[in-house]
Amino acid sequence: LAKTTQPISMDSYEGQEVNITCSHNNIATNDYITWYQQFPSQGPRFIIQGYKTKVTNEVASLFIPADRKSSTLSLPRVSLSDTAVYYCLVGDMHRGAGNMLTFGGGTRLMVKP
Amino acid sequence: EAGVTQFPSHSVIEKGQTVTLRCDPISGHDNLYWYRRVMGKEIKFLLHFVKESKQDESGMPNNRFLAERTGGTYSTLKVQPAELEDSGVYFCASRFGTGGTDTQYFGPGTRLTVL
């Protein structure tokens, strides 16, 4: 399983764009990159998933360079409610692959007023 | 649509006692996972059910842990006898899993405290 490395913590202010970068140098050909968000006393919640280039949804954007050895989660105009731990996960998400998720330490994002 | 539910939300027991955690996945999700985070550690995979069958139980720490999913619906995770190091948050997740890149939906977790 590909190991991921991401900053332990980040601070931001309301209204700013936040970019969290994750390194995954040993990513395999079949691996997808998935980001989860976790609030205190809740389970992780899926944010976004991608394989290459750029993916955007109503919550975030995910940028993946051509070599796929890293990825950047971009949160536009964060608010206080975006304060959470963000996990970058890498794994084979196809049917039959098991899809066991391997969590790292995550990035604790603190959004300040 | 109801999400993944877990019961109880908190459990405090003494060392040596037995505790049973329950997870109700999203209706129609064949895949059910158990994870846990013990104090100060990362969330770790415990096991994976496909319907009522154990697909992967490589993460189960020892034989004091027993997971079941009779009928392929809800699942239980029994810890017997509980030890101090079992304290932590136990998460359940479910996934539809008919193809593509299906994501996992997590429940709120059960916080287990062993005294």
Side-chain angles (χ1 to χ4, degrees), chain A residues 14-57:
Chain A
E14 284 189 291
Q16 289 188 332
E17 178 185 77
V18 171
N19 296 307
I20 306 175
T21 297
C22 177
S23 297
H24 28 79
N25 292 316
N26 297 322
I27 190 169
T29 302
N30 288 341
D31 286 345
Y32 279 70
I33 300 153
T34 309
W35 286 79
Y36 278 77
Q37 173 191 56
Q38 186 179 25
F39 299 113
S41 301
Q42 294 187 25
R45 183 176 75 108
F46 171 85
I47 301 177
I48 196 166
Q49 183 181 82
Y51 185 80
K52 62 180 179 180
T53 62
K54 177 184 175 182
V55 179
T56 297
N57 61 23

Side-chain angles (χ1 to χ4, degrees), chain B:
Chain B
E1 179 184 275
V4 177
T5 58
Q6 294 186 243
F7 182 82
S9 57
H10 292 86
S11 181
V12 180
I13 61 173
E14 294 188 350
K15 175 183 173 180
Q17 290 186 322
T18 297
V19 63
T20 300
L21 314 181
R22 173 171 170 145
C23 169
D24 286 80
I26 294 172
S27 178
H29 282 196
D30 288 341
N31 293 272
L32 187 149
Y33 305 79
W34 283 97
Y35 296 84
R36 76 170 181 176
R37 177 167 56 206
V38 296
M39 185 64 70
K41 302 289 187 179
E42 298 165 354
I43 299 173
K44 295 290 188 184
F45 165 81
L46 295 178
L47 88 159
H48 170 206
F49 283 100
V50 177
K51 296 185 180 179
E52 67 275 10
S53 300
K54 292 177 184 175
Q55 184 80 1
D56 181 354
E57 51 185 330
S58 61
M60 295 289 265
N62 52 61
N63 59 10
R64 295 187 293 104
F65 289 75
L66 175 64
E68 295 180 321
R69 195 184 181 195
T70 306
T73 54
Y74 71 91
S75 175
T76 58
L77 180 65
K78 181 191 291 187
V79 185
Q80 179 182 30
E83 298 289 345
L84 299 179
E85 63 264 25
D86 301 331
S87 295
V89 182
Y90 290 76
F91 294 103
C92 173
S94 72
R95 177 176 69 90
F96 189 37
T98 59
T101 56
D102 299 307
T103 61
Q104 294 184 24
Y105 297 86
F106 281 78
T110 293
R111 181 173 296 277
L112 174 64
T113 302
V114 182
L115 302 176

